[in-house]
Amino acid sequence: MSAATSLPLRDVHLPATPSWWPLPPGWWAVLGVLALCVLVAWAWRAHRRRQRRRWYAVFDAGLTAAATPVDEVAAIAELLRRAARRRQPGAELLQGQAWLTFLDAPGSRAFSEGDGRLLLDGGYRRELDADAVHRLRPLARERFVDLTLGRTR
């Protein structure tokens, strides 16, 4: 025991704190996966934006030949029926209130109770109010693209 008590004791020295740089390989893997997820999300959103722009252009091109508001409503009705057939086969055959209810986006009654009611007989009238057609156009354009892309919103 006397030998153990005669040993000189030193303070405990902790090793230096590891540096945060360079990162360990596991962190590089986490950062790589995170960067890949961000890149995929960005690419997917860019693809969806391009798709929407293309379908907006298809809708607008379908209305270019319309010379009168009556022709424009008829063209809008035709485009919406094509989109409805793409979304749900047989939906283009719906008539009257059932057709307008189908066109209503979830949570919206814009077609069955709003400006969309013009689609019922607007293509058959002699004259239409140009303001009513201008209010219908953006509503129908959005619904056309949503139906074509399969979104319900």
Side-chain angles (χ1 to χ4, degrees):
M1 277 209 184
S2 64
T5 56
S6 65
L7 290 177
L9 297 176
R10 295 188 212 170
D11 280 340
V12 176
H13 293 285
L14 296 175
T17 305
S19 167
W20 64 273
W21 194 262
L23 294 176
W27 283 108
W28 284 109
V30 168
L31 290 175
V33 168
L34 184 64
L36 184 64
C37 289
V38 167
L39 182 66
V40 166
W42 177 82
W44 181 77
R45 286 183 53 126
H47 172 71
R48 294 298 284 192
R49 280 192 304 271
R50 281 192 307 274
Q51 268 188 324
R52 286 190 80 77
R53 280 196 304 266
R54 278 195 304 261
W55 285 112
Y56 284 142
V58 167
F59 183 86
D60 294 339
L63 298 183
T64 57
T68 66
V70 173
D71 292 340
E72 189 171 340
V73 170
I76 288 171
E78 180 183 347
L79 287 165
L80 285 172
R81 289 201 181 271
R82 286 181 185 178
R85 180 176 51 233
R86 183 180 177 101
R87 170 67 187 241
Q88 180 181 338
E92 75 277 7
L93 302 174
L94 294 171
Q95 297 293 321
Q97 190 62 32
W99 169 240
L100 296 179
T101 302
F102 175 81
L103 289 177
D104 282 335
S108 168
R109 311 272 310 156
F111 284 98
S112 59
E113 295 177 2
D115 293 323
R117 293 196 62 78
L118 193 58
L119 290 174
L120 288 180
D121 62 351
Y124 304 108
R125 294 184 190 172
R126 262 185 216 277
E127 294 180 8
L128 283 176
D129 180 28
D131 291 335
V133 176
H134 287 297
R135 288 191 309 268
L136 173 65
R137 186 178 183 153
L139 176 69
R141 187 177 190 235
E142 282 299 317
R143 194 61 183 139
F144 170 79
V145 173
D146 288 344
L147 285 171
T148 303
L149 293 177
R151 295 168 103 189
T152 56
R153 263 202 235 211

